[in-house]
Amino acid sequence: MTDITVVGDAPEIDEIKRVVQLYVDGFQGSRDKLEEAFHKDAWIFALDADAALATDLISDRFERWADSRRAVKSRFIAVTQAGEVASVLLGFDNSENLADSWVDVIALVKVDGAWKITNKTAAHSTRAAWAKPSS
């Protein structure tokens, strides 16, 4: 999918997307990218395929995520910016096994001139209805 729905005026869409892409790229062995993308106090709420909810401080996952070297790519579905807050609806697609993908709602805030992810709420693609990746 190459079309992105933009809600309202999103003058910093390129920078918002860059920060979210750092999160995705961090899964290729780059803890530094994860640290740049996320606020140090960011949280995750993730609903897996079995409807089990996991919650964590995201920084507690950095090492595991970076070491996973998961073959994932981003699919930007929608971006909303309202001044210094933004949200991204993101397809977090597993390139090796599309059925094991996720859909994330990413919340960002601009702190001291830099966009930071403050929250990631995710659902396994089997629970993401129309937003799941298409084959």
Side-chain angles (χ1 to χ4, degrees):
M1 172 186 277
T2 57
D3 294 331
I4 300 173
T5 299
V6 178
V7 179
D9 184 27
E12 296 180 69
I13 189 171
D14 291 338
E15 183 61 13
I16 292 164
K17 287 175 56 183
R18 184 192 74 79
V19 170
V20 173
Q21 189 63 47
L22 285 170
Y23 144 59
V24 176
D25 292 346
F27 278 77
Q28 300 310 308
S30 184
R31 183 183 176 119
D32 290 346
K33 289 182 180 181
L34 294 168
E35 290 172 350
E36 182 180 345
F38 287 95
H39 185 275
K40 65 181 180 62
D41 296 320
W43 275 83
I44 181 173
F45 294 80
L47 191 62
D48 71 15
D50 296 322
L53 180 66
T55 62
D56 282 312
L57 188 64
I58 289 178
S59 59
D60 290 344
R61 294 179 175 223
F62 284 170
E63 186 173 337
R64 180 171 44 121
W65 283 358
D67 291 345
S68 74
R69 302 224 181 247
R70 231 175 132 190
V72 292
K73 65 181 209 175
S74 57
R75 180 171 42 93
F76 288 86
I77 301 168
V79 176
T80 303
Q81 179 187 352
E84 295 183 342
V85 296
S87 66
V88 173
L89 182 60
L90 179 77
F92 186 82
D93 298 342
N94 184 333
S95 301
E96 294 175 346
N97 179 8
L98 206 53
D100 187 27
S101 296
W102 294 79
V103 173
D104 300 345
V105 175
I106 306 289
L108 302 96
V109 66
K110 194 171 186 181
V111 180
D112 297 326
W115 287 101
K116 292 288 184 179
I117 299 171
T118 57
N119 185 70
K120 167 188 161 143
T121 302
H124 190 270
S125 61
T126 57
R127 302 189 163 281
W130 61 268
K132 68 183 177 184
S134 57
S135 346

